[in-house]
Amino acid sequence: MWHRRIMRVAGAILGVLIIATPAAAEDYRYALGGGAGLVSMSGGKFFSFPGKAAFEAALAHRLSSRWQLVLDYSVYTLANDENKLSVDTSGSFQNNSPLDFAATRLGIRLDRKLSEPDRLFNLTAGLGGGLLIWKGIDPDSNTTYVVRGDQDQPTDFSATELFLGGSLGILVRPSPRVSLHFVGQADRLTGAGAEFEPEISDIRDKLLLTASARVYFHFGQADRTEWASDKAWSTASERPELPRQARRDSDGDGIDDTLDSCLSTPRGADVDASGCPVDSDRDGVQDGLDDCPSTPTPARNRVDIHGCPVDSDYDGLPDYADSCAFGLVGAQVDERGCPIDSDNDGVPEGLDDCPYTLPGVEVDKHGCIDLTMLSKPMVLNIDYAPGSFEVDPHNRKRIERLGGLLNFVPDIKIDINGYTDDIGTDAANRALSEKRANRVKGILQSLGIDADRMKAYGRGETNFVASNQTAEGRARNRRIEIVFYK
């Protein structure tokens, strides 16, 4: 009962403050705030994160009577719903896997009051962005999950990721030094800073929704300043109404209102005798405002605001005559407007820094041989049958692509290391891993790679990368690692 009495007294005090105190008797430069809210994630196809509490802190800097800059900080941990009946699988995850999404949000937002600044109640809108520092944690072992990266390498399921967001809120100013802000915030994770394989990127949630309440304490008294836009808003309703008899030509087209059949003609447009706009080429942009007054008939529905045919990819051919109207900007094109790619490497000329690449060689986004994969060991998690050393089709294609690259970099040598799980004797596993390493060497040799450039080693049951207590962990330990050197 005592806590109900406290709530009633607090409510009465707040009511007195709201009624008795003007909303903005003084202006203060800064405000320090804190509060809590409810945060949830959505937008993915796989996990399910029910809403959880978030704790927040914020520092606001008043820029003018309507605008303020807000720096905010919040922490929270969301838990995946483990009680789902249906189970989907993606890589090392099931959709009811135990997973904690632990996040720290660092944001910056520009807020604007939408009503008169000194009102007790005000609506706010804001835009901003920031960084979300997060990890996908296995709560049973308190370790970060490991997934495949964008280069097919093992990597932690974590990121420092850029987000963009917007907000709507209700601001209550019961006293000059205290304000309450109730905010709904939506943040979109952009993927910048998160480098995972496409399968992981596709299933994860990217939309953060937060509903929060904050208390701000204002300090640092400052002179009241106004931005030009604020002054325009406040004086717009004070403009004097001109006498009706003075508005003889409302749209300034040279035709008196009493004779004008089109009283809202845009300024600068040519008009006919009845005061209506003339559009000689019928492209929707009136003569006088049309920079291209002789637009061809096929282009009438494809013009810009100036009445000129649109050229979306800036290749010199307008869209209506361009067979590849949305090509890459900067690419050289043929007479149909389609990109030219003489070496068939997927990067058109004009954007290709290496325009004479030989066929079959993988290239980077600049059209040159992609050597980034040689900067770290290549891991092949081969789906071996028990006791077998044959390579599955997926990894054989990867080995063939590697062979194509090695043929063009003859100074690169490789060590092929075979590993097993801990099932079986040490001697048997070492012999099996050596066979598996030599099998990969044989495939590369059949692709034209000199045997003197390759060494194969059977490492057996050593250098485990996962636990051998689970089938998934043993599958990760059964692998081939290829190390590159000169």
Side-chain angles (χ1 to χ4, degrees):
M1 294 298 292
W2 59 271
H3 61 280
R4 293 183 179 176
R5 293 177 181 176
I6 292 176
M7 292 293 290
R8 290 172 183 168
V9 172
I13 293 174
L14 180 60
V16 171
L17 287 173
I18 292 175
I19 295 172
T21 310
E26 299 179 64
D27 290 306
Y28 295 92
R29 190 184 301 273
Y30 304 106
L32 185 63
L38 186 68
V39 62
S40 65
M41 289 187 70
S42 62
K45 310 173 184 176
F46 199 73
F47 297 114
S48 177
F49 294 104
K52 291 289 185 179
F55 299 96
E56 305 176 341
L59 177 65
H61 174 47
R62 175 184 175 276
L63 303 175
S64 74
S65 61
R66 288 185 182 272
W67 296 90
Q68 70 173 357
L69 189 67
V70 181
L71 304 177
D72 50 20
Y73 165 88
S74 61
V75 293
Y76 51 85
T77 298
L78 305 178
N80 184 36
D81 184 1
E82 300 179 38
N83 297 318
K84 289 185 177 180
L85 296 179
S86 62
V87 177
D88 294 330
T89 301
S90 178
S92 59
F93 290 122
Q94 291 182 330
N95 67 346
N96 61 357
S97 295
L99 185 145
D100 284 354
F101 184 87
T104 299
R105 181 185 183 278
L106 304 174
I108 182 170
R109 188 176 74 240
L110 187 64
D111 277 355
R112 178 180 172 81
K113 295 177 182 177
L114 302 181
S115 303
E116 290 300 320
D118 292 337
R119 289 186 177 179
L120 176 61
F121 293 93
N122 219 312
L123 297 178
T124 65
L127 289 174
L131 294 176
L132 190 73
I133 305 168
W134 62 266
K135 289 183 178 181
I137 298 172
D138 182 349
D140 296 333
S141 60
N142 197 29
T143 58
T144 303
Y145 276 103
V146 176
V147 298
R148 306 302 300 176
D150 58 356
Q151 298 293 326
D152 203 30
Q153 81 282 10
T155 187
D156 286 345
F157 190 42
S158 63
T160 299
E161 187 171 359
L162 177 69
F163 68 82
L164 299 175
S167 69
L168 291 173
I170 299 174
L171 180 66
V172 184
R173 190 79 177 266
S175 74
R177 286 194 175 273
V178 178
S179 64
L180 307 176
H181 203 180
F182 304 94
V183 182
Q185 176 82 27
D187 297 326
R188 175 71 178 179
L189 300 181
T190 64
E195 300 177 349
F196 306 120
E197 65 175 354
E199 183 178 2
I200 296 298
S201 297
D202 288 344
I203 66 171
R204 69 189 188 95
D205 298 86
K206 300 182 182 68
L207 184 62
L208 291 169
L209 301 174
T210 307
S212 62
R214 297 178 184 173
V215 179
Y216 282 95
F217 299 93
H218 300 259
F219 60 95
Q221 188 170 351
D223 294 335
R224 189 178 182 91
T225 59
E226 296 291 342
W227 287 10
S229 62
D230 294 339
K231 185 176 180 180
W233 278 43
S234 63
T235 59
S237 61
E238 300 174 4
R239 293 173 183 170
E241 183 75 13
L242 293 176
R244 191 170 187 83
Q245 61 271 21
R247 295 201 306 266
R248 300 298 302 275
D249 182 9
S250 304
D251 51 10
D253 61 359
I255 306 296
D256 191 275
D257 286 358
T258 58
L259 304 174
D260 197 334
S261 299
C262 301
L263 292 173
S264 57
T265 301
R267 296 278 177 175
D270 295 343
V271 298
D272 57 20
S274 63
C276 291
V278 176
D279 182 10
S280 302
D281 54 8
R282 300 181 183 179
D283 62 357
V285 181
Q286 297 91 351
D287 293 1
L289 302 175
D290 195 336
D291 292 343
C292 302
S294 302
T295 300
T297 300
R300 284 179 181 172
N301 296 324
R302 299 183 181 184
V303 298
D304 58 22
I305 60 174
H306 305 292
C308 295
V310 174
D311 180 11
S312 300
D313 51 9
Y314 303 100
D315 61 358
L317 281 177
D319 287 1
Y320 77 91
D322 195 335
S323 298
C324 303
F326 301 99
L328 294 174
V329 176
Q332 295 181 17
V333 298
D334 57 22
E335 64 279 0
R336 298 181 303 114
C338 293
I340 301 171
D341 184 10
S342 301
D343 53 6
N344 294 314
D345 62 357
V347 181
E349 293 182 21
L351 302 174
D352 195 338
D353 293 342
C354 303
Y356 304 108
T357 305
L358 294 176
V361 180
E362 288 194 14
V363 298
D364 58 21
K365 63 182 180 179
H366 304 293
C368 298
I369 296 177
D370 188 0
L371 299 178
T372 56
M373 65 178 295
L374 304 182
S375 62
K376 52 190 172 183
M378 180 178 181
V379 180
L380 303 175
N381 289 110
I382 299 175
D383 186 14
Y384 288 112
S388 171
F389 52 87
E390 283 301 328
V391 178
D392 62 76
H394 169 72
N395 283 286
R396 189 180 183 93
K397 289 182 180 178
R398 293 183 63 197
I399 295 171
E400 291 172 353
R401 290 197 298 269
L402 173 62
L405 178 59
L406 290 176
N407 273 315
F408 293 100
V409 283
D411 57 333
I412 297 296
K413 299 180 179 181
I414 63 173
D415 285 346
I416 306 171
N417 300 298
Y419 296 94
T420 68
D421 55 30
D422 66 349
I423 296 178
T425 66
D426 181 69
N429 282 334
R430 187 171 295 276
L432 179 59
S433 65
E434 185 173 355
K435 289 181 180 179
R436 290 173 174 174
N438 278 314
R439 181 61 180 138
V440 174
K441 178 180 178 182
I443 295 173
L444 289 171
Q445 196 168 349
S446 71
L447 296 171
I449 309 303
D450 193 335
D452 292 339
R453 297 172 60 190
M454 302 180 287
K455 295 179 182 179
Y457 299 98
R459 305 297 186 184
E461 47 184 271
T462 61
N463 296 339
F464 297 128
V465 296
S467 170
N468 283 298
Q469 302 303 311
T470 64
E472 179 185 342
R474 291 192 294 272
R476 291 181 60 193
N477 289 329
R478 295 191 297 271
R479 69 194 188 280
I480 295 292
E481 289 189 1
I482 302 176
V483 180
F484 306 94
Y485 62 95
K486 290 187 177 181

